[in-house]
PDB file of all heavy atoms in Angstrom:
ATOM      1  N   LYS A 165      -4.092  25.493   5.235  1.00 95.00           N
ATOM      2  CA  LYS A 165      -4.416  26.153   6.580  1.00 95.00           C
ATOM      3  C   LYS A 165      -5.080  25.206   7.495  1.00 95.00           C
ATOM      4  O   LYS A 165      -4.761  25.204   8.743  1.00 95.00           O
ATOM      5  CB  LYS A 165      -5.401  27.333   6.267  1.00 95.00           C
ATOM      6  CG  LYS A 165      -4.779  28.584   5.578  1.00 95.00           C
ATOM      7  CD  LYS A 165      -5.760  29.664   5.402  1.00 95.00           C
ATOM      8  CE  LYS A 165      -5.213  30.937   4.789  1.00 95.00           C
ATOM      9  NZ  LYS A 165      -6.209  31.923   4.680  1.00 95.00           N
ATOM     10  N   GLU A 166      -6.013  24.400   7.104  1.00 95.00           N
ATOM     11  CA  GLU A 166      -6.738  23.456   7.965  1.00 95.00           C
ATOM     12  C   GLU A 166      -5.849  22.453   8.523  1.00 95.00           C
ATOM     13  O   GLU A 166      -5.951  22.126   9.727  1.00 95.00           O
ATOM     14  CB  GLU A 166      -7.916  22.864   7.259  1.00 95.00           C
ATOM     15  CG  GLU A 166      -9.082  23.815   7.042  1.00 95.00           C
ATOM     16  CD  GLU A 166      -9.652  24.385   8.302  1.00 95.00           C
ATOM     17  OE1 GLU A 166      -9.854  23.638   9.259  1.00 95.00           O
ATOM     18  OE2 GLU A 166      -9.714  25.637   8.420  1.00 95.00           O
ATOM     19  N   VAL A 167      -4.928  21.822   7.734  1.00 96.00           N
ATOM     20  CA  VAL A 167      -3.974  20.893   8.215  1.00 96.00           C
ATOM     21  C   VAL A 167      -3.122  21.412   9.247  1.00 96.00           C
ATOM     22  O   VAL A 167      -2.868  20.830  10.277  1.00 96.00           O
ATOM     23  CB  VAL A 167      -3.161  20.267   7.025  1.00 96.00           C
ATOM     24  CG1 VAL A 167      -2.044  19.394   7.545  1.00 96.00           C
ATOM     25  CG2 VAL A 167      -4.110  19.450   6.057  1.00 96.00           C
ATOM     26  N   LYS A 168      -2.582  22.654   9.002  1.00 95.00           N
ATOM     27  CA  LYS A 168      -1.636  23.356   9.896  1.00 95.00           C
ATOM     28  C   LYS A 168      -2.379  23.618  11.201  1.00 95.00           C
ATOM     29  O   LYS A 168      -1.828  23.590  12.353  1.00 95.00           O
ATOM     30  CB  LYS A 168      -1.085  24.598   9.248  1.00 95.00           C
ATOM     31  CG  LYS A 168      -0.076  24.324   8.270  1.00 95.00           C
ATOM     32  CD  LYS A 168       0.389  25.635   7.570  1.00 95.00           C
ATOM     33  CE  LYS A 168       0.989  26.563   8.513  1.00 95.00           C
ATOM     34  NZ  LYS A 168       2.195  26.112   9.124  1.00 95.00           N
ATOM     35  N   LYS A 169      -3.729  23.976  11.148  1.00 96.00           N
ATOM     36  CA  LYS A 169      -4.498  24.254  12.356  1.00 96.00           C
ATOM     37  C   LYS A 169      -4.776  23.046  13.194  1.00 96.00           C
ATOM     38  O   LYS A 169      -4.617  23.061  14.442  1.00 96.00           O
ATOM     39  CB  LYS A 169      -5.816  24.947  11.913  1.00 96.00           C
ATOM     40  CG  LYS A 169      -6.708  25.369  13.156  1.00 96.00           C
ATOM     41  CD  LYS A 169      -8.099  25.711  12.677  1.00 96.00           C
ATOM     42  CE  LYS A 169      -8.090  26.818  11.602  1.00 96.00           C
ATOM     43  NZ  LYS A 169      -9.478  27.176  11.210  1.00 96.00           N
ATOM     44  N   CYS A 170      -5.123  21.896  12.485  1.00 97.00           N
ATOM     45  CA  CYS A 170      -5.457  20.723  13.246  1.00 97.00           C
ATOM     46  C   CYS A 170      -4.270  19.843  13.581  1.00 97.00           C
ATOM     47  O   CYS A 170      -4.372  19.126  14.536  1.00 97.00           O
ATOM     48  CB  CYS A 170      -6.391  19.810  12.322  1.00 97.00           C
ATOM     49  SG  CYS A 170      -8.013  20.621  11.967  1.00 97.00           S
ATOM     50  N   PHE A 171      -3.197  20.005  12.894  1.00 97.00           N
ATOM     51  CA  PHE A 171      -2.023  19.241  13.083  1.00 97.00           C
ATOM     52  C   PHE A 171      -0.771  20.121  13.132  1.00 97.00           C
ATOM     53  O   PHE A 171       0.062  20.124  12.206  1.00 97.00           O
ATOM     54  CB  PHE A 171      -1.822  18.086  12.003  1.00 97.00           C
ATOM     55  CG  PHE A 171      -3.024  17.243  11.860  1.00 97.00           C
ATOM     56  CD1 PHE A 171      -3.978  17.506  10.857  1.00 97.00           C
ATOM     57  CD2 PHE A 171      -3.301  16.189  12.658  1.00 97.00           C
ATOM     58  CE1 PHE A 171      -5.136  16.795  10.634  1.00 97.00           C
ATOM     59  CE2 PHE A 171      -4.418  15.419  12.560  1.00 97.00           C
ATOM     60  CZ  PHE A 171      -5.351  15.731  11.520  1.00 97.00           C
ATOM     61  N   PRO A 172      -0.595  20.901  14.162  1.00 96.00           N
ATOM     62  CA  PRO A 172       0.413  21.908  14.229  1.00 96.00           C
ATOM     63  C   PRO A 172       1.840  21.327  14.223  1.00 96.00           C
ATOM     64  O   PRO A 172       2.804  22.004  13.962  1.00 96.00           O
ATOM     65  CB  PRO A 172       0.086  22.664  15.533  1.00 96.00           C
ATOM     66  CG  PRO A 172      -0.668  21.702  16.271  1.00 96.00           C
ATOM     67  CD  PRO A 172      -1.553  21.037  15.354  1.00 96.00           C
ATOM     68  N   ASN A 173       1.941  19.993  14.524  1.00 97.00           N
ATOM     69  CA  ASN A 173       3.296  19.325  14.485  1.00 97.00           C
ATOM     70  C   ASN A 173       3.679  18.924  13.082  1.00 97.00           C
ATOM     71  O   ASN A 173       4.786  18.514  12.858  1.00 97.00           O
ATOM     72  CB  ASN A 173       3.226  18.139  15.411  1.00 97.00           C
ATOM     73  CG  ASN A 173       2.204  17.062  14.932  1.00 97.00           C
ATOM     74  OD1 ASN A 173       1.181  17.407  14.588  1.00 97.00           O
ATOM     75  ND2 ASN A 173       2.574  15.804  15.037  1.00 97.00           N
ATOM     76  N   LYS A 174       2.822  19.072  12.107  1.00 97.00           N
ATOM     77  CA  LYS A 174       3.105  18.732  10.687  1.00 97.00           C
ATOM     78  C   LYS A 174       3.661  19.975  10.013  1.00 97.00           C
ATOM     79  O   LYS A 174       3.134  20.994  10.163  1.00 97.00           O
ATOM     80  CB  LYS A 174       1.914  18.237   9.936  1.00 97.00           C
ATOM     81  CG  LYS A 174       1.222  17.088  10.599  1.00 97.00           C
ATOM     82  CD  LYS A 174       1.957  15.756  10.635  1.00 97.00           C
ATOM     83  CE  LYS A 174       1.098  14.628  11.150  1.00 97.00           C
ATOM     84  NZ  LYS A 174       1.927  13.460  11.315  1.00 97.00           N
ATOM     85  N   ASP A 175       4.824  19.794   9.221  1.00 97.00           N
ATOM     86  CA  ASP A 175       5.311  20.825   8.405  1.00 97.00           C
ATOM     87  C   ASP A 175       4.731  20.702   7.028  1.00 97.00           C
ATOM     88  O   ASP A 175       4.694  19.641   6.430  1.00 97.00           O
ATOM     89  CB  ASP A 175       6.842  20.762   8.285  1.00 97.00           C
ATOM     90  CG  ASP A 175       7.516  21.149   9.581  1.00 97.00           C
ATOM     91  OD1 ASP A 175       6.947  21.960  10.324  1.00 97.00           O
ATOM     92  OD2 ASP A 175       8.682  20.687   9.893  1.00 97.00           O
ATOM     93  N   ILE A 176       4.235  21.818   6.478  1.00 97.00           N
ATOM     94  CA  ILE A 176       3.538  21.833   5.096  1.00 97.00           C
ATOM     95  C   ILE A 176       4.374  22.844   4.301  1.00 97.00           C
ATOM     96  O   ILE A 176       4.355  23.988   4.602  1.00 97.00           O
ATOM     97  CB  ILE A 176       2.094  22.171   5.222  1.00 97.00           C
ATOM     98  CG1 ILE A 176       1.321  21.368   6.206  1.00 97.00           C
ATOM     99  CG2 ILE A 176       1.441  21.970   3.809  1.00 97.00           C
ATOM    100  CD1 ILE A 176       1.261  19.922   5.980  1.00 97.00           C
ATOM    101  N   GLY A 177       5.049  22.307   3.233  1.00 97.00           N
ATOM    102  CA  GLY A 177       5.810  23.139   2.384  1.00 97.00           C
ATOM    103  C   GLY A 177       5.238  23.153   1.031  1.00 97.00           C
ATOM    104  O   GLY A 177       4.315  22.312   0.652  1.00 97.00           O
ATOM    105  N   ILE A 178       5.722  24.100   0.109  1.00 96.00           N
ATOM    106  CA  ILE A 178       5.275  24.061  -1.253  1.00 96.00           C
ATOM    107  C   ILE A 178       6.510  23.963  -2.209  1.00 96.00           C
ATOM    108  O   ILE A 178       7.657  24.421  -1.872  1.00 96.00           O
ATOM    109  CB  ILE A 178       4.445  25.267  -1.743  1.00 96.00           C
ATOM    110  CG1 ILE A 178       5.171  26.541  -1.382  1.00 96.00           C
ATOM    111  CG2 ILE A 178       3.084  25.167  -0.947  1.00 96.00           C
ATOM    112  CD1 ILE A 178       4.465  27.756  -2.055  1.00 96.00           C
ATOM    113  N   PHE A 179       6.376  23.211  -3.273  1.00 97.00           N
ATOM    114  CA  PHE A 179       7.354  23.112  -4.354  1.00 97.00           C
ATOM    115  C   PHE A 179       6.712  23.473  -5.595  1.00 97.00           C
ATOM    116  O   PHE A 179       6.359  22.566  -6.459  1.00 97.00           O
ATOM    117  CB  PHE A 179       7.888  21.631  -4.340  1.00 97.00           C
ATOM    118  CG  PHE A 179       9.077  21.347  -5.215  1.00 97.00           C
ATOM    119  CD1 PHE A 179      10.035  22.251  -5.545  1.00 97.00           C
ATOM    120  CD2 PHE A 179       9.096  20.109  -5.761  1.00 97.00           C
ATOM    121  CE1 PHE A 179      11.070  21.887  -6.271  1.00 97.00           C
ATOM    122  CE2 PHE A 179      10.095  19.704  -6.667  1.00 97.00           C
ATOM    123  CZ  PHE A 179      11.122  20.666  -6.912  1.00 97.00           C
ATOM    124  N   PRO A 180       6.523  24.771  -5.902  1.00 95.00           N
ATOM    125  CA  PRO A 180       5.782  25.174  -7.109  1.00 95.00           C
ATOM    126  C   PRO A 180       6.471  24.682  -8.374  1.00 95.00           C
ATOM    127  O   PRO A 180       7.692  24.706  -8.483  1.00 95.00           O
ATOM    128  CB  PRO A 180       5.773  26.776  -7.001  1.00 95.00           C
ATOM    129  CG  PRO A 180       6.199  27.018  -5.655  1.00 95.00           C
ATOM    130  CD  PRO A 180       7.033  25.952  -5.114  1.00 95.00           C
ATOM    131  N   PRO A 181       5.649  24.229  -9.361  1.00 96.00           N
ATOM    132  CA  PRO A 181       6.161  23.853 -10.601  1.00 96.00           C
ATOM    133  C   PRO A 181       6.958  24.980 -11.294  1.00 96.00           C
ATOM    134  O   PRO A 181       6.701  26.162 -10.989  1.00 96.00           O
ATOM    135  CB  PRO A 181       4.959  23.511 -11.411  1.00 96.00           C
ATOM    136  CG  PRO A 181       3.958  23.051 -10.440  1.00 96.00           C
ATOM    137  CD  PRO A 181       4.165  23.963  -9.242  1.00 96.00           C
ATOM    138  N   TYR A 182       7.926  24.605 -12.050  1.00 94.00           N
ATOM    139  CA  TYR A 182       8.785  25.596 -12.717  1.00 94.00           C
ATOM    140  C   TYR A 182       8.038  26.658 -13.404  1.00 94.00           C
ATOM    141  O   TYR A 182       7.053  26.371 -14.206  1.00 94.00           O
ATOM    142  CB  TYR A 182       9.673  24.858 -13.739  1.00 94.00           C
ATOM    143  CG  TYR A 182      10.565  25.847 -14.487  1.00 94.00           C
ATOM    144  CD1 TYR A 182      11.757  26.291 -13.943  1.00 94.00           C
ATOM    145  CD2 TYR A 182      10.323  26.210 -15.813  1.00 94.00           C
ATOM    146  CE1 TYR A 182      12.654  27.145 -14.584  1.00 94.00           C
ATOM    147  CE2 TYR A 182      11.094  27.139 -16.534  1.00 94.00           C
ATOM    148  CZ  TYR A 182      12.246  27.561 -15.905  1.00 94.00           C
ATOM    149  OH  TYR A 182      13.078  28.456 -16.580  1.00 94.00           O
ATOM    150  N   GLY A 183       8.312  27.966 -13.044  1.00 91.00           N
ATOM    151  CA  GLY A 183       7.591  29.079 -13.663  1.00 91.00           C
ATOM    152  C   GLY A 183       6.266  29.452 -13.041  1.00 91.00           C
ATOM    153  O   GLY A 183       5.696  30.411 -13.405  1.00 91.00           O
ATOM    154  N   LYS A 184       5.876  28.617 -12.038  1.00 89.00           N
ATOM    155  CA  LYS A 184       4.574  28.864 -11.314  1.00 89.00           C
ATOM    156  C   LYS A 184       4.921  29.511  -9.916  1.00 89.00           C
ATOM    157  O   LYS A 184       5.992  29.256  -9.384  1.00 89.00           O
ATOM    158  CB  LYS A 184       3.826  27.688 -11.158  1.00 89.00           C
ATOM    159  CG  LYS A 184       3.477  26.909 -12.373  1.00 89.00           C
ATOM    160  CD  LYS A 184       2.340  27.442 -13.077  1.00 89.00           C
ATOM    161  CE  LYS A 184       1.852  26.641 -14.333  1.00 89.00           C
ATOM    162  NZ  LYS A 184       0.771  27.235 -14.995  1.00 89.00           N
ATOM    163  N   TRP A 185       3.947  30.356  -9.391  1.00 83.00           N
ATOM    164  CA  TRP A 185       4.226  30.969  -8.069  1.00 83.00           C
ATOM    165  C   TRP A 185       2.913  31.426  -7.413  1.00 83.00           C
ATOM    166  O   TRP A 185       1.960  31.637  -8.187  1.00 83.00           O
ATOM    167  CB  TRP A 185       5.148  32.114  -8.230  1.00 83.00           C
ATOM    168  CG  TRP A 185       5.734  32.479  -6.879  1.00 83.00           C
ATOM    169  CD1 TRP A 185       5.550  33.630  -6.119  1.00 83.00           C
ATOM    170  CD2 TRP A 185       6.786  31.781  -6.162  1.00 83.00           C
ATOM    171  NE1 TRP A 185       6.233  33.673  -4.982  1.00 83.00           N
ATOM    172  CE2 TRP A 185       7.038  32.563  -4.956  1.00 83.00           C
ATOM    173  CE3 TRP A 185       7.423  30.610  -6.398  1.00 83.00           C
ATOM    174  CZ2 TRP A 185       8.002  32.197  -4.044  1.00 83.00           C
ATOM    175  CZ3 TRP A 185       8.389  30.221  -5.416  1.00 83.00           C
ATOM    176  CH2 TRP A 185       8.650  30.953  -4.300  1.00 83.00           C
ATOM    177  N   SER A 186       2.835  31.353  -6.184  1.00 85.00           N
ATOM    178  CA  SER A 186       1.659  31.888  -5.532  1.00 85.00           C
ATOM    179  C   SER A 186       2.144  32.500  -4.233  1.00 85.00           C
ATOM    180  O   SER A 186       2.627  31.871  -3.265  1.00 85.00           O
ATOM    181  CB  SER A 186       0.628  30.819  -5.238  1.00 85.00           C
ATOM    182  OG  SER A 186      -0.339  31.208  -4.274  1.00 85.00           O
ATOM    183  N   ASN A 187       1.969  33.829  -4.039  1.00 89.00           N
ATOM    184  CA  ASN A 187       2.405  34.522  -2.865  1.00 89.00           C
ATOM    185  C   ASN A 187       1.579  34.125  -1.681  1.00 89.00           C
ATOM    186  O   ASN A 187       2.096  33.995  -0.533  1.00 89.00           O
ATOM    187  CB  ASN A 187       2.292  36.049  -3.000  1.00 89.00           C
ATOM    188  CG  ASN A 187       3.471  36.579  -3.923  1.00 89.00           C
ATOM    189  OD1 ASN A 187       4.514  36.074  -3.910  1.00 89.00           O
ATOM    190  ND2 ASN A 187       3.130  37.588  -4.689  1.00 89.00           N
ATOM    191  N   ASP A 188       0.270  33.741  -1.922  1.00 89.00           N
ATOM    192  CA  ASP A 188      -0.619  33.338  -0.814  1.00 89.00           C
ATOM    193  C   ASP A 188      -0.107  31.941  -0.250  1.00 89.00           C
ATOM    194  O   ASP A 188      -0.041  31.834   0.956  1.00 89.00           O
ATOM    195  CB  ASP A 188      -2.033  33.167  -1.303  1.00 89.00           C
ATOM    196  CG  ASP A 188      -2.736  34.474  -1.578  1.00 89.00           C
ATOM    197  OD1 ASP A 188      -2.371  35.447  -1.021  1.00 89.00           O
ATOM    198  OD2 ASP A 188      -3.626  34.531  -2.395  1.00 89.00           O
ATOM    199  N   LEU A 189       0.277  31.054  -1.153  1.00 91.00           N
ATOM    200  CA  LEU A 189       0.734  29.745  -0.622  1.00 91.00           C
ATOM    201  C   LEU A 189       2.080  29.965   0.102  1.00 91.00           C
ATOM    202  O   LEU A 189       2.290  29.373   1.110  1.00 91.00           O
ATOM    203  CB  LEU A 189       0.963  28.796  -1.912  1.00 91.00           C
ATOM    204  CG  LEU A 189      -0.246  28.156  -2.515  1.00 91.00           C
ATOM    205  CD1 LEU A 189       0.176  27.264  -3.666  1.00 91.00           C
ATOM    206  CD2 LEU A 189      -1.117  27.394  -1.535  1.00 91.00           C
ATOM    207  N   ARG A 190       2.852  30.805  -0.438  1.00 90.00           N
ATOM    208  CA  ARG A 190       4.209  31.103   0.157  1.00 90.00           C
ATOM    209  C   ARG A 190       4.040  31.639   1.567  1.00 90.00           C
ATOM    210  O   ARG A 190       4.823  31.242   2.494  1.00 90.00           O
ATOM    211  CB  ARG A 190       5.041  32.086  -0.726  1.00 90.00           C
ATOM    212  CG  ARG A 190       6.440  32.295  -0.156  1.00 90.00           C
ATOM    213  CD  ARG A 190       7.170  33.333  -0.997  1.00 90.00           C
ATOM    214  NE  ARG A 190       8.524  33.516  -0.586  1.00 90.00           N
ATOM    215  CZ  ARG A 190       9.362  34.450  -1.066  1.00 90.00           C
ATOM    216  NH1 ARG A 190       9.025  35.177  -2.071  1.00 90.00           N
ATOM    217  NH2 ARG A 190      10.569  34.503  -0.531  1.00 90.00           N
ATOM    218  N   LYS A 191       3.057  32.491   1.765  1.00 91.00           N
ATOM    219  CA  LYS A 191       2.917  33.153   3.103  1.00 91.00           C
ATOM    220  C   LYS A 191       2.455  32.184   4.079  1.00 91.00           C
ATOM    221  O   LYS A 191       2.810  32.381   5.335  1.00 91.00           O
ATOM    222  CB  LYS A 191       1.851  34.279   3.074  1.00 91.00           C
ATOM    223  CG  LYS A 191       2.471  35.541   2.332  1.00 91.00           C
ATOM    224  CD  LYS A 191       1.494  36.702   2.457  1.00 91.00           C
ATOM    225  CE  LYS A 191       0.165  36.510   1.759  1.00 91.00           C
ATOM    226  NZ  LYS A 191      -0.723  37.617   1.734  1.00 91.00           N
ATOM    227  N   HIS A 192       1.778  31.109   3.727  1.00 92.00           N
ATOM    228  CA  HIS A 192       1.217  30.199   4.771  1.00 92.00           C
ATOM    229  C   HIS A 192       1.948  28.835   4.763  1.00 92.00           C
ATOM    230  O   HIS A 192       1.584  28.008   5.576  1.00 92.00           O
ATOM    231  CB  HIS A 192      -0.295  29.955   4.439  1.00 92.00           C
ATOM    232  CG  HIS A 192      -1.152  31.136   4.632  1.00 92.00           C
ATOM    233  ND1 HIS A 192      -1.379  32.142   3.705  1.00 92.00           N
ATOM    234  CD2 HIS A 192      -1.819  31.532   5.761  1.00 92.00           C
ATOM    235  CE1 HIS A 192      -2.203  32.997   4.161  1.00 92.00           C
ATOM    236  NE2 HIS A 192      -2.420  32.786   5.465  1.00 92.00           N
ATOM    237  N   ALA A 193       2.930  28.685   3.971  1.00 95.00           N
ATOM    238  CA  ALA A 193       3.804  27.447   4.022  1.00 95.00           C
ATOM    239  C   ALA A 193       4.822  27.562   4.971  1.00 95.00           C
ATOM    240  O   ALA A 193       5.321  28.678   5.341  1.00 95.00           O
ATOM    241  CB  ALA A 193       4.342  27.218   2.599  1.00 95.00           C
ATOM    242  N   ASP A 194       5.213  26.402   5.598  1.00 96.00           N
ATOM    243  CA  ASP A 194       6.413  26.358   6.521  1.00 96.00           C
ATOM    244  C   ASP A 194       7.698  26.465   5.845  1.00 96.00           C
ATOM    245  O   ASP A 194       8.660  26.953   6.412  1.00 96.00           O
ATOM    246  CB  ASP A 194       6.284  25.065   7.273  1.00 96.00           C
ATOM    247  CG  ASP A 194       5.137  24.979   8.211  1.00 96.00           C
ATOM    248  OD1 ASP A 194       4.980  25.915   9.004  1.00 96.00           O
ATOM    249  OD2 ASP A 194       4.402  23.927   8.167  1.00 96.00           O
ATOM    250  N   PHE A 195       7.720  26.122   4.519  1.00 96.00           N
ATOM    251  CA  PHE A 195       8.991  26.263   3.715  1.00 96.00           C
ATOM    252  C   PHE A 195       8.621  26.259   2.262  1.00 96.00           C
ATOM    253  O   PHE A 195       7.554  25.795   1.812  1.00 96.00           O
ATOM    254  CB  PHE A 195       9.981  25.140   4.136  1.00 96.00           C
ATOM    255  CG  PHE A 195       9.509  23.741   3.839  1.00 96.00           C
ATOM    256  CD1 PHE A 195       9.625  23.138   2.590  1.00 96.00           C
ATOM    257  CD2 PHE A 195       8.714  23.007   4.732  1.00 96.00           C
ATOM    258  CE1 PHE A 195       9.158  21.862   2.313  1.00 96.00           C
ATOM    259  CE2 PHE A 195       8.296  21.779   4.541  1.00 96.00           C
ATOM    260  CZ  PHE A 195       8.487  21.171   3.282  1.00 96.00           C
ATOM    261  N   VAL A 196       9.506  26.717   1.444  1.00 96.00           N
ATOM    262  CA  VAL A 196       9.333  26.809  -0.005  1.00 96.00           C
ATOM    263  C   VAL A 196      10.585  26.265  -0.616  1.00 96.00           C
ATOM    264  O   VAL A 196      11.699  26.622  -0.305  1.00 96.00           O
ATOM    265  CB  VAL A 196       9.029  28.258  -0.477  1.00 96.00           C
ATOM    266  CG1 VAL A 196       8.896  28.176  -2.002  1.00 96.00           C
ATOM    267  CG2 VAL A 196       7.777  28.801   0.250  1.00 96.00           C
ATOM    268  N   ILE A 197      10.413  25.372  -1.678  1.00 96.00           N
ATOM    269  CA  ILE A 197      11.517  24.939  -2.480  1.00 96.00           C
ATOM    270  C   ILE A 197      11.335  25.411  -3.894  1.00 96.00           C
ATOM    271  O   ILE A 197      10.207  25.235  -4.429  1.00 96.00           O
ATOM    272  CB  ILE A 197      11.612  23.386  -2.460  1.00 96.00           C
ATOM    273  CG1 ILE A 197      11.567  22.804  -1.022  1.00 96.00           C
ATOM    274  CG2 ILE A 197      12.815  22.883  -3.248  1.00 96.00           C
ATOM    275  CD1 ILE A 197      11.417  21.304  -0.950  1.00 96.00           C
TER     276      ILE A 197
END
């Protein structure tokens, strides 16, 4: 959240390890793999 707030030109995505998941991370990420 802080990186996205301070550097809005940066894309922050998540690549959760196999079998792992977080809806909170997904909601605030620019993309999910």
Side-chain angles (χ1 to χ4, degrees):
K165 287 181 178 179
E166 286 303 309
V167 171
K168 287 172 59 62
K169 183 190 303 181
C170 296
F171 307 96
N173 60 319
K174 306 293 185 187
D175 287 332
I176 311 294
I178 59 169
F179 184 35
Y182 178 79
K184 303 280 186 180
W185 198 253
S186 167
N187 287 327
D188 288 335
L189 288 179
R190 182 182 182 185
K191 284 189 296 185
H192 291 89
D194 292 308
F195 60 91
V196 179
I197 307 170

